[in-house]
Amino acid sequence: MRPLRIPLILIVLIALALLPLYGSDTIVQFGISTLLLAVLAQGWNIIGGYAGYPSFGNSAFYGLGAYGVGIAMVQWQLPFAVGLALGVILAVVFAICLGIPVLRLKGHYFAIATLALAQVMAAIVSNVELAGQNIGLVLPPLNDDALFYELSLVLLVAATLTVWWLTRSRFGFGLIAIRENEEGAVVMGVDTTRYKVLAFALAGVFSALAGGIHAYWITFLDPESAFDITLNVKMIIMAVFGGPGTILGPIVGSFILSAISEFLSSEVTSIAGLFFGVVIVVAVVLMPRGLADVARRFHRTGWRYFIENIRMHRL
């Protein structure tokens, strides 16, 4: 299977790149949303999957990236690329300034501390005149879904290559050491604070870029949508469902869950809202290491794989 993996990935990548040529407008628009969610899941994978710090604040980076583009293009009449750069700078500065104190917390204390980040940023931005306050910003329209689709795909490839690099770099090994045993990593000489802050900032970069692309695509921006806390839930569920701490797991999880969610929203609207709650229960109880671990071990253990996980949770 392993020798076939790279050719298969290339075939899928080419098919995705050519989607605007043979897909309908609806499919392309769905593709943009799915690719951006995959980028967010991959960004969360860096801090949550590899460093082992389950952040609930990555949507704050997403919102900062969106407002970087909005402010640059609407208030200062600057190009889209400059807005993306501004959003990334805001996200990185925010990640470093906040990460130094917050990343000293561990486990659920860290998760709770990051949970309020998006709401705090929304409250701050809603009082900033430059950001349009509660009214928001209307960006200049660009009716080119194919362009936004390709930008989203390129960003996902860049995020995935970064995660691939983590699996082969000293920095990535340091993050894995922190995830497995932070005290042991300190004894081994890993500068845990610096590694965690850098991982937080790196996750912020990809989240900010995704937010900037999405803001220009929908051409409207307000604090509630930019700092939407449900984005945190979605990116975490998708990463955990696919396999945290793996290269392709968050992408697979994003694609599968986005497709199912879209189908339920259009065909069975009455239960669509329950979907992600069910996924959380299934993922945590039956396959806590995600689909990637199921693919590795199921052929050896069969259905005992799920039974063992249920027994581990004493259900």
Side-chain angles (χ1 to χ4, degrees):
M1 287 296 292
R2 189 172 294 272
L4 297 176
R5 184 176 299 175
I6 294 179
L8 181 60
I9 292 173
L10 290 177
I11 291 172
V12 172
L13 185 59
I14 292 171
L16 289 174
L18 297 178
L19 180 65
L21 298 179
Y22 60 84
S24 65
D25 292 341
T26 302
I27 293 296
V28 173
Q29 291 169 3
F30 169 73
I32 296 171
S33 299
T34 301
L35 290 172
L36 291 178
L37 280 172
V39 172
L40 292 175
Q42 199 69 287
W44 183 89
N45 191 33
I46 296 173
I47 184 67
Y50 281 90
Y53 273 71
S55 170
F56 282 85
N58 282 27
S59 63
F61 303 134
Y62 177 89
L64 288 172
Y67 268 98
V69 169
I71 291 172
M73 297 188 70
V74 176
Q75 306 289 31
W76 298 335
Q77 287 75 51
L78 294 173
F80 172 57
V82 176
L84 282 178
L86 176 61
V88 168
I89 292 171
L90 289 173
V92 169
V93 171
F94 182 74
I96 293 174
C97 293
L98 189 76
I100 292 175
V102 171
L103 285 165
R104 297 181 186 276
L105 302 173
K106 298 179 182 179
H108 55 276
Y109 296 107
F110 171 77
I112 293 172
T114 57
L115 184 62
L117 291 182
Q119 295 172 311
V120 170
M121 289 305 303
I124 293 173
V125 169
S126 64
N127 290 285
V128 176
E129 186 175 354
L130 183 66
Q133 298 180 319
N134 280 322
I135 300 174
L137 299 172
V138 179
L139 283 72
L142 178 61
N143 298 319
D144 192 347
D145 287 343
L147 173 62
F148 290 112
Y149 177 88
E150 299 298 348
L151 284 174
S152 302
L153 181 59
V154 169
L155 181 58
L156 178 58
V157 171
T160 304
L161 289 175
T162 300
V163 172
W164 174 82
W165 167 75
L166 286 179
T167 64
R168 288 158 173 78
S169 68
R170 180 177 180 180
F171 176 60
F173 294 149
L175 294 180
I176 294 172
I178 292 171
R179 180 189 68 195
E180 298 300 326
N181 188 330
E182 188 165 349
E183 289 75 15
V186 172
V187 173
M188 289 164 48
V190 177
D191 188 344
T192 56
T193 300
R194 181 166 64 90
Y195 274 47
K196 290 185 294 184
V197 171
L198 288 175
F200 203 40
L202 189 58
V205 168
F206 291 113
S207 299
L209 289 172
I213 292 173
H214 189 262
Y216 194 21
W217 177 46
I218 63 173
T219 70
F220 178 73
L221 193 58
D222 71 312
E224 184 177 355
S225 62
F227 298 98
D228 186 4
I229 195 170
T230 60
L231 274 178
N232 283 317
V233 178
K234 288 182 178 180
M235 70 178 80
I236 293 173
I237 292 175
M238 289 174 174
V240 171
F241 182 79
T246 62
I247 299 174
L248 298 178
I251 299 176
V252 174
S254 300
F255 285 13
I256 293 176
L257 296 185
S258 293
I260 297 175
S261 179
E262 182 69 18
F263 172 78
L264 292 177
S265 298
S266 59
E267 301 293 336
V268 198
T269 56
S270 59
I271 65 172
L274 300 174
F275 174 62
F276 281 104
V278 173
V279 171
I280 292 175
V281 175
V282 171
V284 171
V285 175
L286 295 181
M287 47 182 198
R289 297 178 185 85
L291 288 175
D293 190 61
V294 175
R296 284 195 299 265
R297 297 176 53 194
F298 186 80
H299 69 280
R300 296 197 305 267
T301 61
W303 295 103
R304 287 187 293 110
Y305 174 87
F306 301 108
I307 296 173
E308 289 172 2
N309 284 325
I310 292 174
R311 287 176 178 172
M312 182 177 66
H313 288 82
R314 299 179 180 179
L315 295 178

